Amino acid sequence: SKAISFGASNISSKSGDLKLKSETSTKNALVAGDVNAAIDLNKDFANFSTNDMYEHVSMPSQNFSTSLNNFTYDLKKREVNFIKPKGLDDDSAYFVLDNPAMQGLKINSKKATFDLNKLDLTAQEVPNILVADSRIFTPHNEILIQNEA
């Protein structure tokens, strides 16, 4: 395909769909559409970003999605690191629960780590979590969302 470029030690694409699997779940661990990808096979490291600044990245195994659509993937550690895209304001940097029964629980976060081995998500730089008319403050401004929590 002309959309994917294969080099001796790298793979790149200007636009493509990404699905990452986990050995611990039957669901996809991560799904992103229309991503720009640069994979360095020598370093076992990849950089991804969606071509649409407002495109969300989904984590079906966690039932969460995020607006943090710039992310790296360490293939050896099996770890995804999300970072707030440039130009996105802080209020628009978040994770949202994709469970209708939870009415869109939203966690503002400027960066996060998703461990594909355990399927644990650690949201960082979390100012607080709004629940109904309350604010929950977390230790060290981070929250751990464990697999199947």
Side-chain angles (χ1 to χ4, degrees):
S1 169
K2 292 181 181 180
I4 301 173
S5 173
F6 294 94
S9 61
N10 59 47
I11 302 169
S12 63
S13 174
K14 297 276 185 210
S15 178
D17 293 336
L18 175 68
K19 292 181 182 179
L20 296 178
K21 299 278 186 181
S22 172
E23 296 175 10
T24 59
S25 176
T26 57
K27 295 181 183 178
N28 288 317
L30 184 141
V31 176
D34 191 19
V35 295
N36 186 320
I39 304 166
D40 186 326
L41 299 173
N42 286 333
K43 295 180 180 177
D44 289 327
F45 197 80
N47 289 294
F48 297 97
S49 62
T50 62
N51 289 311
D52 178 352
M53 182 175 162
Y54 299 103
E55 181 78 22
H56 282 202
V57 176
S58 172
M59 290 156 285
S61 61
Q62 285 286 54
N63 290 316
F64 270 88
S65 59
T66 183
S67 63
L68 303 181
N69 52 26
N70 285 341
F71 54 100
T72 61
Y73 178 41
D74 185 320
L75 284 76
K76 281 187 181 178
K77 289 183 181 177
R78 297 199 36 84
E79 182 177 276
V80 176
N81 286 290
F82 295 97
I83 20 181
K84 181 179 79 109
K86 292 178 183 174
L88 190 68
D89 64 89
D90 290 352
D91 288 339
S92 297
Y94 58 84
F95 288 83
V96 65
L97 187 58
D98 295 329
N99 180 344
M102 299 298 272
Q103 298 182 2
L105 175 67
K106 187 173 165 182
I107 301 167
N108 283 84
S109 172
K110 295 179 191 172
K111 63 182 185 174
T113 302
F114 187 34
D115 180 338
L116 295 181
N117 297 304
K118 297 178 183 177
L119 292 176
D120 289 346
L121 174 66
T122 303
Q124 301 154 336
E125 297 186 32
V126 177
N128 57 62
I129 302 167
L130 297 174
V131 180
D133 61 350
S134 303
R135 289 181 192 236
I136 299 170
F137 294 90
T138 63
H140 311 291
N141 291 335
E142 77 178 30
I143 185 170
L144 171 64
I145 302 162
Q146 294 180 310
N147 182 22
E148 299 181 20

PDB file of all heavy atoms in Angstrom, residues 110-134:
ATOM      1  N   LYS A 110      -3.551  15.689  31.924  1.00  0.00           N
ATOM      2  CA  LYS A 110      -2.676  16.170  30.850  1.00  0.00           C
ATOM      3  C   LYS A 110      -1.761  15.083  30.307  1.00  0.00           C
ATOM      4  O   LYS A 110      -1.190  15.233  29.237  1.00  0.00           O
ATOM      5  CB  LYS A 110      -1.832  17.344  31.342  1.00  0.00           C
ATOM      6  CG  LYS A 110      -2.642  18.562  31.701  1.00  0.00           C
ATOM      7  CD  LYS A 110      -1.736  19.658  32.190  1.00  0.00           C
ATOM      8  CE  LYS A 110      -2.539  20.783  32.806  1.00  0.00           C
ATOM      9  NZ  LYS A 110      -1.664  21.767  33.455  1.00  0.00           N
ATOM     10  N   LYS A 111      -1.618  13.991  31.058  1.00  0.00           N
ATOM     11  CA  LYS A 111      -0.816  12.869  30.572  1.00  0.00           C
ATOM     12  C   LYS A 111      -1.218  11.613  31.327  1.00  0.00           C
ATOM     13  O   LYS A 111      -1.841  11.677  32.390  1.00  0.00           O
ATOM     14  CB  LYS A 111       0.677  13.140  30.699  1.00  0.00           C
ATOM     15  CG  LYS A 111       1.194  13.323  32.104  1.00  0.00           C
ATOM     16  CD  LYS A 111       2.689  13.627  32.069  1.00  0.00           C
ATOM     17  CE  LYS A 111       3.253  13.702  33.468  1.00  0.00           C
ATOM     18  NZ  LYS A 111       4.692  13.855  33.462  1.00  0.00           N
ATOM     19  N   ALA A 112      -0.864  10.467  30.758  1.00  0.00           N
ATOM     20  CA  ALA A 112      -1.248   9.199  31.369  1.00  0.00           C
ATOM     21  C   ALA A 112      -0.369   8.080  30.830  1.00  0.00           C
ATOM     22  O   ALA A 112       0.236   8.202  29.771  1.00  0.00           O
ATOM     23  CB  ALA A 112      -2.705   8.897  31.085  1.00  0.00           C
ATOM     24  N   THR A 113      -0.341   6.982  31.582  1.00  0.00           N
ATOM     25  CA  THR A 113       0.380   5.782  31.181  1.00  0.00           C
ATOM     26  C   THR A 113      -0.595   4.615  31.192  1.00  0.00           C
ATOM     27  O   THR A 113      -1.330   4.419  32.160  1.00  0.00           O
ATOM     28  CB  THR A 113       1.544   5.501  32.159  1.00  0.00           C
ATOM     29  OG1 THR A 113       2.411   6.638  32.170  1.00  0.00           O
ATOM     30  CG2 THR A 113       2.327   4.281  31.730  1.00  0.00           C
ATOM     31  N   PHE A 114      -0.589   3.845  30.113  1.00  0.00           N
ATOM     32  CA  PHE A 114      -1.454   2.677  29.984  1.00  0.00           C
ATOM     33  C   PHE A 114      -0.560   1.447  29.847  1.00  0.00           C
ATOM     34  O   PHE A 114       0.153   1.291  28.866  1.00  0.00           O
ATOM     35  CB  PHE A 114      -2.359   2.839  28.766  1.00  0.00           C
ATOM     36  CG  PHE A 114      -3.416   1.794  28.601  1.00  0.00           C
ATOM     37  CD1 PHE A 114      -4.035   1.199  29.687  1.00  0.00           C
ATOM     38  CD2 PHE A 114      -3.831   1.414  27.342  1.00  0.00           C
ATOM     39  CE1 PHE A 114      -5.031   0.245  29.529  1.00  0.00           C
ATOM     40  CE2 PHE A 114      -4.824   0.466  27.165  1.00  0.00           C
ATOM     41  CZ  PHE A 114      -5.426  -0.121  28.256  1.00  0.00           C
ATOM     42  N   ASP A 115      -0.586   0.601  30.870  1.00  0.00           N
ATOM     43  CA  ASP A 115       0.222  -0.619  30.908  1.00  0.00           C
ATOM     44  C   ASP A 115      -0.555  -1.727  30.203  1.00  0.00           C
ATOM     45  O   ASP A 115      -1.569  -2.200  30.712  1.00  0.00           O
ATOM     46  CB  ASP A 115       0.502  -0.991  32.369  1.00  0.00           C
ATOM     47  CG  ASP A 115       1.333  -2.236  32.535  1.00  0.00           C
ATOM     48  OD1 ASP A 115       1.390  -3.074  31.615  1.00  0.00           O
ATOM     49  OD2 ASP A 115       1.930  -2.395  33.616  1.00  0.00           O
ATOM     50  N   LEU A 116      -0.076  -2.157  29.039  1.00  0.00           N
ATOM     51  CA  LEU A 116      -0.792  -3.172  28.268  1.00  0.00           C
ATOM     52  C   LEU A 116      -0.622  -4.580  28.834  1.00  0.00           C
ATOM     53  O   LEU A 116      -1.351  -5.487  28.459  1.00  0.00           O
ATOM     54  CB  LEU A 116      -0.355  -3.147  26.804  1.00  0.00           C
ATOM     55  CG  LEU A 116      -0.707  -1.877  26.037  1.00  0.00           C
ATOM     56  CD1 LEU A 116      -0.238  -1.977  24.596  1.00  0.00           C
ATOM     57  CD2 LEU A 116      -2.182  -1.589  26.092  1.00  0.00           C
ATOM     58  N   ASN A 117       0.342  -4.764  29.737  1.00  0.00           N
ATOM     59  CA  ASN A 117       0.511  -6.065  30.382  1.00  0.00           C
ATOM     60  C   ASN A 117      -0.593  -6.310  31.411  1.00  0.00           C
ATOM     61  O   ASN A 117      -1.180  -7.380  31.468  1.00  0.00           O
ATOM     62  CB  ASN A 117       1.882  -6.167  31.060  1.00  0.00           C
ATOM     63  CG  ASN A 117       3.004  -6.067  30.057  1.00  0.00           C
ATOM     64  OD1 ASN A 117       3.062  -6.828  29.100  1.00  0.00           O
ATOM     65  ND2 ASN A 117       3.882  -5.111  30.261  1.00  0.00           N
ATOM     66  N   LYS A 118      -0.852  -5.304  32.234  1.00  0.00           N
ATOM     67  CA  LYS A 118      -1.861  -5.417  33.292  1.00  0.00           C
ATOM     68  C   LYS A 118      -3.192  -4.771  32.911  1.00  0.00           C
ATOM     69  O   LYS A 118      -4.190  -4.965  33.593  1.00  0.00           O
ATOM     70  CB  LYS A 118      -1.355  -4.734  34.562  1.00  0.00           C
ATOM     71  CG  LYS A 118      -0.118  -5.342  35.160  1.00  0.00           C
ATOM     72  CD  LYS A 118       0.305  -4.538  36.380  1.00  0.00           C
ATOM     73  CE  LYS A 118       1.577  -5.039  36.999  1.00  0.00           C
ATOM     74  NZ  LYS A 118       1.985  -4.186  38.130  1.00  0.00           N
ATOM     75  N   LEU A 119      -3.169  -3.950  31.858  1.00  0.00           N
ATOM     76  CA  LEU A 119      -4.319  -3.139  31.452  1.00  0.00           C
ATOM     77  C   LEU A 119      -4.712  -2.143  32.533  1.00  0.00           C
ATOM     78  O   LEU A 119      -5.891  -1.868  32.752  1.00  0.00           O
ATOM     79  CB  LEU A 119      -5.506  -4.013  31.024  1.00  0.00           C
ATOM     80  CG  LEU A 119      -5.293  -4.806  29.737  1.00  0.00           C
ATOM     81  CD1 LEU A 119      -6.495  -5.699  29.457  1.00  0.00           C
ATOM     82  CD2 LEU A 119      -5.016  -3.896  28.562  1.00  0.00           C
ATOM     83  N   ASP A 120      -3.709  -1.598  33.211  1.00  0.00           N
ATOM     84  CA  ASP A 120      -3.915  -0.545  34.202  1.00  0.00           C
ATOM     85  C   ASP A 120      -3.621   0.802  33.560  1.00  0.00           C
ATOM     86  O   ASP A 120      -2.646   0.951  32.820  1.00  0.00           O
ATOM     87  CB  ASP A 120      -2.983  -0.731  35.409  1.00  0.00           C
ATOM     88  CG  ASP A 120      -3.376  -1.918  36.278  1.00  0.00           C
ATOM     89  OD1 ASP A 120      -4.486  -2.447  36.122  1.00  0.00           O
ATOM     90  OD2 ASP A 120      -2.549  -2.315  37.121  1.00  0.00           O
ATOM     91  N   LEU A 121      -4.460   1.771  33.867  1.00  0.00           N
ATOM     92  CA  LEU A 121      -4.312   3.123  33.348  1.00  0.00           C
ATOM     93  C   LEU A 121      -4.017   4.062  34.514  1.00  0.00           C
ATOM     94  O   LEU A 121      -4.772   4.084  35.486  1.00  0.00           O
ATOM     95  CB  LEU A 121      -5.608   3.554  32.641  1.00  0.00           C
ATOM     96  CG  LEU A 121      -5.695   4.980  32.145  1.00  0.00           C
ATOM     97  CD1 LEU A 121      -4.695   5.231  31.023  1.00  0.00           C
ATOM     98  CD2 LEU A 121      -7.118   5.274  31.670  1.00  0.00           C
ATOM     99  N   THR A 122      -2.917   4.810  34.423  1.00  0.00           N
ATOM    100  CA  THR A 122      -2.579   5.792  35.447  1.00  0.00           C
ATOM    101  C   THR A 122      -2.685   7.178  34.826  1.00  0.00           C
ATOM    102  O   THR A 122      -1.882   7.548  33.972  1.00  0.00           O
ATOM    103  CB  THR A 122      -1.151   5.578  35.986  1.00  0.00           C
ATOM    104  OG1 THR A 122      -1.035   4.240  36.485  1.00  0.00           O
ATOM    105  CG2 THR A 122      -0.842   6.566  37.110  1.00  0.00           C
ATOM    106  N   ALA A 123      -3.714   7.929  35.216  1.00  0.00           N
ATOM    107  CA  ALA A 123      -3.905   9.302  34.745  1.00  0.00           C
ATOM    108  C   ALA A 123      -3.112  10.230  35.661  1.00  0.00           C
ATOM    109  O   ALA A 123      -3.198  10.114  36.887  1.00  0.00           O
ATOM    110  CB  ALA A 123      -5.374   9.664  34.745  1.00  0.00           C
ATOM    111  N   GLN A 124      -2.333  11.128  35.064  1.00  0.00           N
ATOM    112  CA  GLN A 124      -1.468  12.031  35.822  1.00  0.00           C
ATOM    113  C   GLN A 124      -1.874  13.475  35.578  1.00  0.00           C
ATOM    114  O   GLN A 124      -2.588  13.778  34.634  1.00  0.00           O
ATOM    115  CB  GLN A 124      -0.011  11.792  35.414  1.00  0.00           C
ATOM    116  CG  GLN A 124       0.426  10.362  35.674  1.00  0.00           C
ATOM    117  CD  GLN A 124       1.554   9.912  34.763  1.00  0.00           C
ATOM    118  OE1 GLN A 124       1.744  10.427  33.691  1.00  0.00           O
ATOM    119  NE2 GLN A 124       2.286   8.909  35.219  1.00  0.00           N
ATOM    120  N   GLU A 125      -1.404  14.335  36.460  1.00  0.00           N
ATOM    121  CA  GLU A 125      -1.747  15.761  36.414  1.00  0.00           C
ATOM    122  C   GLU A 125      -3.276  15.929  36.422  1.00  0.00           C
ATOM    123  O   GLU A 125      -3.850  16.651  35.627  1.00  0.00           O
ATOM    124  CB  GLU A 125      -1.091  16.443  35.226  1.00  0.00           C
ATOM    125  CG  GLU A 125       0.429  16.424  35.306  1.00  0.00           C
ATOM    126  CD  GLU A 125       1.112  17.215  34.210  1.00  0.00           C
ATOM    127  OE1 GLU A 125       0.554  18.238  33.756  1.00  0.00           O
ATOM    128  OE2 GLU A 125       2.233  16.812  33.833  1.00  0.00           O
ATOM    129  N   VAL A 126      -3.905  15.211  37.362  1.00  0.00           N
ATOM    130  CA  VAL A 126      -5.355  15.255  37.552  1.00  0.00           C
ATOM    131  C   VAL A 126      -5.638  16.306  38.623  1.00  0.00           C
ATOM    132  O   VAL A 126      -5.306  16.086  39.794  1.00  0.00           O
ATOM    133  CB  VAL A 126      -5.895  13.872  38.002  1.00  0.00           C
ATOM    134  CG1 VAL A 126      -7.386  13.937  38.281  1.00  0.00           C
ATOM    135  CG2 VAL A 126      -5.563  12.802  36.980  1.00  0.00           C
ATOM    136  N   PRO A 127      -6.236  17.445  38.259  1.00  0.00           N
ATOM    137  CA  PRO A 127      -6.487  18.473  39.274  1.00  0.00           C
ATOM    138  C   PRO A 127      -7.510  18.019  40.311  1.00  0.00           C
ATOM    139  O   PRO A 127      -7.360  18.266  41.494  1.00  0.00           O
ATOM    140  CB  PRO A 127      -6.997  19.667  38.472  1.00  0.00           C
ATOM    141  CG  PRO A 127      -7.447  19.110  37.172  1.00  0.00           C
ATOM    142  CD  PRO A 127      -6.685  17.845  36.935  1.00  0.00           C
ATOM    143  N   ASN A 128      -8.567  17.350  39.858  1.00  0.00           N
ATOM    144  CA  ASN A 128      -9.619  16.797  40.716  1.00  0.00           C
ATOM    145  C   ASN A 128     -10.584  16.030  39.831  1.00  0.00           C
ATOM    146  O   ASN A 128     -10.485  16.085  38.608  1.00  0.00           O
ATOM    147  CB  ASN A 128     -10.345  17.889  41.512  1.00  0.00           C
ATOM    148  CG  ASN A 128     -10.932  18.942  40.611  1.00  0.00           C
ATOM    149  OD1 ASN A 128     -11.795  18.652  39.788  1.00  0.00           O
ATOM    150  ND2 ASN A 128     -10.475  20.177  40.742  1.00  0.00           N
ATOM    151  N   ILE A 129     -11.495  15.327  40.462  1.00  0.00           N
ATOM    152  CA  ILE A 129     -12.519  14.592  39.727  1.00  0.00           C
ATOM    153  C   ILE A 129     -13.865  15.114  40.203  1.00  0.00           C
ATOM    154  O   ILE A 129     -14.145  15.124  41.399  1.00  0.00           O
ATOM    155  CB  ILE A 129     -12.405  13.077  39.982  1.00  0.00           C
ATOM    156  CG1 ILE A 129     -11.014  12.576  39.576  1.00  0.00           C
ATOM    157  CG2 ILE A 129     -13.484  12.318  39.217  1.00  0.00           C
ATOM    158  CD1 ILE A 129     -10.705  11.186  40.070  1.00  0.00           C
ATOM    159  N   LEU A 130     -14.680  15.564  39.264  1.00  0.00           N
ATOM    160  CA  LEU A 130     -16.006  16.068  39.601  1.00  0.00           C
ATOM    161  C   LEU A 130     -16.999  14.913  39.623  1.00  0.00           C
ATOM    162  O   LEU A 130     -17.138  14.188  38.646  1.00  0.00           O
ATOM    163  CB  LEU A 130     -16.459  17.114  38.580  1.00  0.00           C
ATOM    164  CG  LEU A 130     -15.616  18.380  38.509  1.00  0.00           C
ATOM    165  CD1 LEU A 130     -16.085  19.266  37.368  1.00  0.00           C
ATOM    166  CD2 LEU A 130     -15.680  19.124  39.828  1.00  0.00           C
ATOM    167  N   VAL A 131     -17.651  14.750  40.759  1.00  0.00           N
ATOM    168  CA  VAL A 131     -18.690  13.729  40.914  1.00  0.00           C
ATOM    169  C   VAL A 131     -19.899  14.422  41.519  1.00  0.00           C
ATOM    170  O   VAL A 131     -19.849  14.880  42.661  1.00  0.00           O
ATOM    171  CB  VAL A 131     -18.215  12.568  41.825  1.00  0.00           C
ATOM    172  CG1 VAL A 131     -19.312  11.527  41.980  1.00  0.00           C
ATOM    173  CG2 VAL A 131     -16.943  11.937  41.276  1.00  0.00           C
ATOM    174  N   ALA A 132     -20.958  14.505  40.732  1.00  0.00           N
ATOM    175  CA  ALA A 132     -22.168  15.228  41.125  1.00  0.00           C
ATOM    176  C   ALA A 132     -21.789  16.653  41.537  1.00  0.00           C
ATOM    177  O   ALA A 132     -21.226  17.380  40.732  1.00  0.00           O
ATOM    178  CB  ALA A 132     -22.912  14.475  42.209  1.00  0.00           C
ATOM    179  N   ASP A 133     -22.034  17.023  42.800  1.00  0.00           N
ATOM    180  CA  ASP A 133     -21.691  18.377  43.237  1.00  0.00           C
ATOM    181  C   ASP A 133     -20.456  18.372  44.140  1.00  0.00           C
ATOM    182  O   ASP A 133     -20.266  19.282  44.946  1.00  0.00           O
ATOM    183  CB  ASP A 133     -22.881  19.034  43.929  1.00  0.00           C
ATOM    184  CG  ASP A 133     -23.324  18.291  45.179  1.00  0.00           C
ATOM    185  OD1 ASP A 133     -22.830  17.163  45.395  1.00  0.00           O
ATOM    186  OD2 ASP A 133     -24.148  18.832  45.930  1.00  0.00           O
ATOM    187  N   SER A 134     -19.612  17.363  43.987  1.00  0.00           N
ATOM    188  CA  SER A 134     -18.402  17.235  44.818  1.00  0.00           C
ATOM    189  C   SER A 134     -17.143  17.187  43.956  1.00  0.00           C
ATOM    190  O   SER A 134     -17.196  16.811  42.792  1.00  0.00           O
ATOM    191  CB  SER A 134     -18.456  15.948  45.649  1.00  0.00           C
ATOM    192  OG  SER A 134     -19.603  15.919  46.442  1.00  0.00           O
TER     193      SER A 134
END
